[in-house]
Amino acid sequence: MRSLAERPEDVPMVFAERFNSGDVAAVAQVYEDGALFVPEPGTPLEGERALAANARFVGLGLPITVQPRHVYVAGDVALLIVDWVIEGEGVDGAAVKIEGTATDVARRGADGRWRYVIDNPFGAATGAA
């Protein structure tokens, strides 16, 4: 499994690899302690609630693909705009497609690795995703 990102533009790929492994603990390592996760517009979560919400996405058992659109870096902070899609056949056999354009914030830690501080998968979307 890929180590944590050494460059901010690599954070989405590290996330996707870990997400696709199905290892929720490995996904959690891509986040700083106290990071904010927004599983649906207007619903920011922290701590155990954020981890549980992220685990529900991983638990779909479907792959995520990511395509960074923009990465803006100011010192040890980066804004990432990332197109993503989770797509495949659900456990009930029905087609599943969840997609969005994330607006994420990552920060370089004391170890030099970049992690999410804010993961907002649906970006500027309003209402239910």
Side-chain angles (χ1 to χ4, degrees), residues 9-83:
E9 58 267 29
D10 294 334
V11 176
M13 276 61 84
V14 170
F15 174 84
E17 181 180 296
R18 289 169 178 239
F19 184 101
N20 291 337
S21 78
D23 185 341
V24 175
V27 171
Q29 293 171 349
V30 183
Y31 294 83
E32 278 191 1
D33 289 340
L36 189 72
F37 178 59
V38 187
E40 59 184 65
T43 308
L45 302 175
E46 295 179 78
E48 291 300 318
R49 293 178 63 212
L51 294 173
N54 211 332
R56 285 191 290 277
F57 281 99
V58 174
L60 293 171
L62 300 174
I64 190 170
T65 56
V66 297
Q67 182 62 49
R69 189 187 301 189
H70 302 289
V71 178
Y72 303 111
V73 181
D76 290 338
V77 177
L79 173 65
L80 300 102
I81 309 299
V82 181
D83 297 317

